[in-house]
Structure formats: C-alpha cells, structure tokens
Amino acid sequence: MSVARVVVVDDEPMVCGFLRTILGSADDIEVVDEAHDGAAGLAAVRRSRPDVVLMDLRMPGMDGLTAIEHINRLADPPHVVVLTTFDADQYVLRALRAGATGFLVKSTPPEELIGLVRTAARGHTVLSPSAARRLIAASTDALSARDRARELVAALTEREAQVLAGLGEGLSNARIAARLHLSEATVKGYVSRMLDKLDCVNRTQAGLLAHDAGLVDG
C-alpha cells in the first residue's frame, strides 16, 4: 500500500496537532513533519520530502504564498494544498497562480479532508466549493490574464491546445488519451512539453490558463 507523506504548515500548533490526529487515522496517510511559518515549512519540505503539503496562508515571517513559490522552485516539488480560514477571491487565485494544486478551508469535514489529501497526492486539483466559485468569478474578470493566456495558447499546435483543454476540464491523462485517440504516454509527453512552453509549474496552472484563454466553457 502506498502511503502519502504529508507536511503541515500552520502557525497554530493546535491546528497542526488536530491535523496530525485526523490524517493519522488513515492507514495510507502519514504526517511526517510540521512547521509554524513559511520559512520553516520550506525547510521541512527539503528535510522530509513529502508528497503533499498542507499550507496556511497568513503566518508570521514568510507567508504561505511566498513559501509556495519557493517550494515550487525545488526539484520535484510536492503538491501544495492551501488549508486556510480565508477564501477571499485574491487568495484563491494568487495561491493557484503561485503553484498550489488546491485550496481548502479549515471547516472541511475530517473524512472529506482525508479523501482530498489522497486526491492531491495523486496530482489532482482539489478545491472547496466556495473556492471553486470564487476562482471562476475571478478568472472571468481577469482581462489581462485572458489576453496573456490567449497569446501563449496561440503558440501551441492544434493537438497541444486540445490536450490543454482537457487539463482545463480537470481530465486525467487517460481520459484525454481516450478522447483524442492517443496513448496515455503520448498525452503525458504533450503535458510535459506544454508546461515548459506555457511556463506553468503544474497541471493546475495549465488548467487555469486554459480557462483564461477560453478553451473551456463555463
């Protein structure tokens, strides 16, 4: 059985303890380290090499957004999921653009949180319902981001744009491959090259760009 290794970064030790208890109740999740500010969180990631980081945003010293940016500059970075009390528009969009692969609020029920951590460990985007609504609204209003996205997408081949649209819909490589009648390995190659072309650090950022460029309805 594969075990997801998790680092918790929150300036409240009681929150870290609560998350250790909740996540530790699952056989396939292990909290391997914790930190109470962004700089310490970055050090914990380097030290413990987790699969998933649960990151608060508002902390003393280095905040969560800055820590996410630093973590995503590491070789083979973990999946960073924001777990915070604040889900205002600017936080959701900034966190995802900084490289987070998810955004959850601390009121997420324990059993649901366990499932979402498992999902994040597999590399999929996880969003609380309120964060998803705010993300859609914020993306719709971001005209400058839309123009930049369309310019970047214009440099893609037709097939690359089709794969990118699949990422925007949240599809797995296997489902994109089935839709386009390609092998999963071929789609994986397209995704890897596109991330470089589009200067995106992960599938979540590429999916956002697909929405900004108008490749995905809604």
Side-chain angles (χ1 to χ4, degrees), residues 86-149:
F86 308 96
D87 65 344
D89 298 3
Q90 68 269 28
Y91 290 126
V92 177
L93 199 57
R94 286 179 62 195
L96 295 177
R97 293 202 184 284
T101 57
F103 196 107
L104 303 175
V105 291
K106 289 180 178 176
S107 58
T108 302
E111 285 301 318
E112 185 176 336
L113 179 62
I114 289 171
L116 290 168
V117 168
R118 289 177 179 139
T119 299
R122 295 193 296 269
H124 299 300
T125 302
V126 291
L127 293 171
S128 66
S130 59
R133 288 192 297 269
R134 291 178 184 279
L135 174 61
I136 291 169
S139 297
T140 300
D141 292 339
L143 295 178
S144 60
R146 192 180 307 168
D147 290 341
R148 176 179 175 274

Side-chain angles (χ1 to χ4, degrees), residues 11-201:
D11 63 341
E12 293 287 345
M14 287 184 64
V15 172
C16 292
F18 174 76
L19 291 171
R20 276 186 179 274
T21 299
I22 293 301
L23 297 177
S25 68
D27 293 337
D28 57 347
I29 299 175
E30 179 185 4
V31 178
V32 296
D33 213 335
E34 71 177 65
H36 302 143
D37 62 60
L42 177 60
V45 169
R46 287 173 167 151
R47 178 172 60 243
S48 301
R49 301 185 63 81
D51 303 299
V52 176
V53 179
L54 294 180
M55 177 76 69
D56 194 14
L57 288 183
R58 298 178 67 172
M59 296 179 288
M62 182 187 291
D63 64 17
L65 288 172
T66 304
I68 292 168
E69 292 173 346
H70 282 287
I71 289 171
N72 275 292
R73 295 190 190 113
L74 300 175
D76 193 22
H79 306 294
V80 183
V81 176
V82 171
L83 183 63
T84 186
T85 306
F86 308 96
D87 65 344
D89 298 3
Q90 68 269 28
Y91 290 126
V92 177
L93 199 57
R94 286 179 62 195
L96 295 177
R97 293 202 184 284
T101 57
F103 196 107
L104 303 175
V105 291
K106 289 180 178 176
S107 58
T108 302
E111 285 301 318
E112 185 176 336
L113 179 62
I114 289 171
L116 290 168
V117 168
R118 289 177 179 139
T119 299
R122 295 193 296 269
H124 299 300
T125 302
V126 291
L127 293 171
S128 66
S130 59
R133 288 192 297 269
R134 291 178 184 279
L135 174 61
I136 291 169
S139 297
T140 300
D141 292 339
L143 295 178
S144 60
R146 192 180 307 168
D147 290 341
R148 176 179 175 274
R150 287 174 175 168
E151 182 178 342
L152 288 170
V153 169
L156 300 179
T157 66
E158 181 179 359
R159 182 65 84 189
E160 287 171 338
Q162 291 170 339
V163 173
L164 181 61
L167 295 183
E169 294 178 47
L171 301 182
S172 65
N173 287 351
R175 291 184 63 188
I176 295 172
R179 171 187 286 183
L180 300 179
H181 307 291
L182 300 171
S183 71
E184 191 171 346
T186 298
V187 171
K188 184 177 180 181
Y190 273 121
V191 171
S192 179
R193 289 192 296 273
M194 276 195 306
L195 293 182
D196 288 335
K197 274 190 177 184
L198 301 173
D199 195 26
C200 294
V201 299

